[in-house]
Amino acid sequence: MERTLHTRLHADAVEAYDRLHAEVPADLLQALADAGVRDWRIWRDGRDVFHWLDVQDYRAMREHLHDHPANIAWQARVTPLQSTPDDYSGDDDGLPFVWSFAEQLRTEG
């Protein structure tokens, strides 16, 4: 399952966000893997941050991480940098899918 997300940083938080992600803690990496994350990639355009996830079950991942100590510690560091905080408590499904080049070619081919 693939999901994409968008977050926005506070104007003065861009460099801190990049530094924070230079080395994500090992316990959080393990928590993500245990939650079914196969890959998580992040791009940033100014203050806008775009995430792409490859995960077994997105909602199950969020449920697993909601009370996980590694995620709580990580969120305490990253949430103050974001103008769109996420407490992992909602029914978020990521950004809505719009179009795929490859899928259109397959259906037309």
Side-chain angles (χ1 to χ4, degrees):
M1 167 182 299
E2 295 179 352
R3 287 290 183 264
T4 53
L5 311 171
H6 171 258
T7 53
R8 187 158 174 84
L9 303 174
H10 292 293
D12 60 349
V14 171
E15 290 178 12
Y17 185 86
D18 289 356
R19 280 193 310 272
L20 185 61
H21 285 82
E23 188 171 341
V24 174
D27 62 342
L28 181 59
L29 296 177
Q30 187 61 55
L32 291 168
D34 292 346
V37 174
R38 294 181 285 258
D39 196 7
W40 190 320
R41 297 175 185 219
I42 298 174
W43 290 262
R44 186 179 54 71
D45 181 18
R47 296 173 50 203
D48 292 298
V49 181
F50 302 92
H51 310 250
W52 174 85
L53 288 81
D54 179 10
V55 61
Q56 289 172 355
D57 181 323
Y58 180 72
R59 288 209 178 168
M61 176 207 73
R62 290 176 59 80
E63 184 177 318
H64 177 83
L65 294 174
H66 182 266
D67 293 319
H68 195 287
N71 188 50
I72 291 170
W74 179 256
Q75 294 305 319
R77 296 174 68 195
V78 74
T79 297
L81 306 177
Q82 299 171 334
S83 63
T84 53
D86 182 2
D87 66 2
Y88 283 73
S89 65
D91 291 335
D92 171 64
D93 276 325
L95 296 174
F97 175 75
V98 176
W99 177 78
S100 165
F101 170 80
E103 287 182 26
Q104 183 172 338
L105 287 180
R106 269 194 304 275
T107 61
E108 291 179 357

